[in-house]
Amino acid sequence: MKKVLSFVLAAMMLFGISFTAMAEDKLADGEYTTVCHGFYGDFDLKMTVKDGAIAGFDYSANIETPELGGKALELMSADMVANNTCGVDSVSGATVTSAMFRVAVAGLLKEIGAPAEMSAQVVKPAVTDETLKTDVLVIGSGAAGLAAASGAAESGAKVVLLEKQDILGGSFVTSAGIVYAAMDEADVEPMVAYYQMRANGKANEDLLRFFAENSRATIAWLEGLGTQWGMVVPAGLTGEPRAHFAMDENGRMMAGAVMSNKIVKHLEDLGVTILTGTPATELIADANGAVVGAKAVSDTKNYTIEAGAVILATGGFDASSEMKSQWSPSATEDFPLSSKGNTGDGINMGIAVGAATDFKGGMIGFDFVDGSLPESGYNAVAMYCNSYVQPDGTFVSDVIDYPVTYRAIKDLGVEHFYGLYDAKGADTVAASLARGYAWKGETVEELAAATGMDAAKLADAIARGTGLESAPYFAVMVKPCTIGSMGGLVIDTDAQVISVAGAPIAGLYASGEVANGQFYDIDYPASGSSNCISMTFGLEAGRNAAAYAAK
């Protein structure tokens, strides 16, 4: 025993280790507090240490979006506790919140004298190969993917759902939660006519009619999962009340995440296997060209997934400058407000197995103030103004619909407009004014001088604009951005992907932005269109894929 102790003491002396240092390297148990600079603002962060290790965090004071930043805090704190270090990976889909949380914890650990290993990067395990077998494989977890997985699982199929990001929901989670659907059976043909008008006669009539006829069933399906509507109102350029606004349990709108969470719970109850942080990399086709699976990767696995049928629901491409420059060049520099996972993966995978495509150059355009502003409320002032003027003050229009404003900016070739408010909008523009994205003038001439507009043109615009009645006047910068893309794979009314030869590709289905080119031309027709089209054809894809796999 003495020899062993002597050896230990000698080794400690050799490496400069002392009993005192060992004691100091162990953190005292207790609670330690710091401030985390979150995406939406600062909040108090409390870390609990037990037995010298990270035991938990209290971040309940945060004001992050629960479904994105809040989810990132949940996932990262769990990883930090499990590994006893702040050196964990960011959560894809909420990288800014992830980075700031890591910085806050790292700073706190340094402040309280934690040992270096508590800030060391986690060593990832070796990557291994794994083969999975399933009836239906769904790639992507936005509105289309969640609905497709539901349709397949409800039909009795074994389903695997892949999501490339660490957070489920894609752009669906951050959407306003609007679902655009026909009012009743008699409204089907008028709705088809409206979409065709907005598509300049270039939309696929069969797909539009299938969508309109089945949109009410999609509403009923969502209601069956517990979705409640706060209001049903007109949207786009027509007066029919077709836009269903989902609300949460507290009556809050902007509730795309509410629907998403309910569908995810539904999938869990149905036994669907869900793999996050696992992007698909390519489709697998047999000797006859039928799609029989896909390959995917995660931090620890190289997956080969054998499937009876595959559904592509990977979203669009407006987060990819390269794909925008190819398919919608006018939007190449537009800031994407959609999911950062919208990089066209499914479109490229479909093309690789011979799928036909439909691109017309359009985009789901939107109006905002600036991509550096985190709080959506700051950017909403771009749409709540009374009217728009060009950079020189020339009147453009009263506020109509955001795709119309987006198209006007693009057609005029300017980088921004100004949205005008009068005295009634003082509170609305206050935050943007403080951040330097809005300007105030006690007179028309003063506002023109502040913005560089022509005073005479601005005076004419204020006179022509509706609701601009009293000084002071305000101008908010309005820029074009995107909330999705238009164009992708060609499908039929069974949601089957069609080949360049004009025939269905056996075993391959698609829904959502990955295959929305046939519904639009250049401009987006109405809020809630993408959500409803994605879910309507997602459900159809899931049911048909399950039936195909069963054969």
Side-chain angles (χ1 to χ4, degrees):
M1 182 65 182
K2 290 181 178 180
K3 290 183 179 181
V4 173
L5 181 58
S6 297
F7 175 78
V8 172
L9 290 171
M12 291 175 65
M13 292 177 65
L14 176 64
F15 290 103
I17 302 172
S18 67
F19 281 117
T20 301
M22 291 177 68
E24 290 175 349
D25 279 349
K26 185 175 181 180
L27 285 177
D29 290 356
E31 294 182 342
Y32 302 88
T33 303
T34 188
V35 174
C36 181
H37 303 294
F39 189 69
Y40 288 102
D42 296 350
F43 62 91
D44 290 336
L45 173 65
K46 184 185 298 181
M47 179 179 70
T48 301
V49 174
K50 185 176 182 180
D51 297 330
I54 300 173
F57 294 93
D58 180 356
Y59 46 83
S60 58
N62 82 87
I63 53 173
E64 303 298 284
T65 304
E67 299 78 19
L68 291 177
K71 188 66 175 180
L73 295 174
E74 176 188 335
L75 294 173
M76 289 193 73
S77 61
D79 281 351
M80 289 181 184
V81 170
N83 294 283
N84 195 35
T85 177
C86 66
V88 300
D89 285 345
S90 296
V91 174
S92 57
T95 53
V96 174
T97 301
S98 299
M100 299 312 295
F101 182 66
R102 189 190 299 107
V103 167
V105 178
L108 180 58
L109 289 170
K110 182 178 181 180
E111 178 185 335
I112 63 179
E117 57 265 28
M118 293 182 75
S119 297
Q121 192 68 27
V122 173
V123 178
K124 298 177 182 178
V127 177
T128 58
D129 296 333
E130 183 170 339
T131 298
L132 300 177
K133 295 184 179 182
T134 189
D135 297 328
V136 175
L137 171 63
V138 180
I139 305 175
S141 73
L146 294 177
S150 297
E154 289 168 358
S155 300
K158 179 181 178 183
V159 180
V160 171
L161 173 64
L162 301 183
E163 170 54 51
K164 69 184 288 186
Q165 299 196 109
D166 296 320
I167 299 174
L168 294 169
S171 298
F172 191 34
V173 167
T174 58
S175 77
I178 308 171
V179 184
Y180 194 90
M183 297 181 293
D184 50 36
E185 186 176 345
D187 189 40
V188 168
E189 290 305 319
M191 182 168 153
V192 171
Y194 171 70
Y195 272 84
Q196 195 64 274
M197 180 272 290
R198 295 290 280 136
N200 299 309
K202 298 178 183 178
N204 182 292
E205 192 88 4
D206 292 337
L207 292 178
L208 285 183
R209 185 162 287 103
F210 183 91
F211 161 52
E213 289 174 344
N214 290 277
S215 60
R216 293 301 311 169
T218 299
I219 293 293
W221 177 72
L222 288 167
E223 291 173 345
L225 297 179
T227 299
Q228 300 179 56
W229 311 111
M231 58 182 177
V232 183
V233 297
L237 302 182
T238 184
E240 287 79 7
R242 299 176 180 138
H244 297 66
F245 281 71
M247 66 178 181
D248 65 14
E249 287 74 9
N250 299 315
R252 180 182 67 112
M253 302 297 182
M254 302 293 287
V258 172
M259 288 186 286
S260 176
N261 292 340
K262 290 181 184 299
I263 303 173
V264 170
K265 175 62 167 58
H266 181 53
L267 295 180
E268 292 171 346
D269 292 343
L270 289 169
V272 172
T273 298
I274 301 174
L275 301 177
T276 56
T278 309
T281 57
E282 62 179 297
L283 298 174
I284 301 171
D286 66 15
N288 297 316
V291 172
V292 294
K295 293 185 178 180
V297 297
S298 71
D299 287 344
T300 60
K301 299 287 184 180
N302 287 324
Y303 288 105
T304 297
I305 305 174
E306 300 173 1
V310 176
I311 303 172
L312 293 172
T314 53
F317 58 88
D318 69 317
S320 168
S321 294
E322 180 181 355
M323 289 195 70
K324 283 191 292 187
S325 66
Q326 181 179 7
W327 301 116
S328 297
S330 69
T332 301
E333 302 302 322
D334 292 351
F335 187 87
L337 288 177
S338 65
S339 168
K340 297 304 179 284
N342 277 9
T343 52
D345 303 358
I347 295 172
N348 290 326
M349 283 189 281
I351 291 173
V353 296
T357 59
D358 186 334
F359 294 99
K360 302 184 183 79
M363 266 288 168
I364 304 179
F366 199 66
D367 313 323
F368 81 148
V369 177
D370 194 82
S372 67
L373 296 176
E375 174 61 60
S376 60
Y378 292 132
N379 281 312
V381 299
M383 295 186 296
Y384 294 156
C385 54
N386 295 82
S387 58
Y388 296 112
V389 296
Q390 294 185 41
D392 68 353
T394 301
F395 180 78
V396 176
S397 70
D398 282 337
V399 174
I400 303 173
D401 192 34
Y402 60 82
V404 176
T405 310
Y406 175 85
R407 181 53 46 201
I409 295 176
K410 290 298 177 181
D411 288 347
L412 286 169
V414 296
E415 293 184 354
H416 67 272
F417 279 173
Y418 288 111
L420 300 182
Y421 288 85
D422 72 353
K424 298 185 294 295
D427 291 340
T428 305
V429 303
S432 296
L433 193 65
R435 286 174 172 252
Y437 292 100
W439 295 264
K440 177 182 178 181
E442 294 295 339
T443 64
V444 172
E445 291 74 18
E446 187 176 316
L447 182 61
T451 57
M453 289 188 272
D454 180 276
K457 292 179 179 179
L458 178 58
D460 174 70
I462 289 177
R464 294 172 62 182
T466 301
L468 296 168
E469 299 167 350
S470 58
Y473 297 107
F474 302 89
V476 178
M477 182 172 289
V478 178
K479 296 180 181 178
C481 63
T482 59
I483 53 174
S485 59
M486 293 179 181
L489 307 179
V490 172
I491 59 172
D492 61 16
T493 54
D494 290 329
Q496 296 178 106
V497 175
I498 305 302
S499 73
V500 291
I505 298 176
L508 185 60
Y509 300 79
S511 177
E513 282 185 46
V514 71
N516 70 0
Q518 296 156 279
F519 297 90
Y520 312 121
D521 180 22
I522 299 297
D523 298 325
Y524 192 54
S527 290
S529 299
S530 188
N531 280 342
C532 198
I533 290 171
S534 294
M535 288 185 282
T536 299
F537 278 85
L539 289 165
E540 186 69 9
R543 294 160 185 157
N544 291 333
Y548 174 87
K551 295 177 182 179

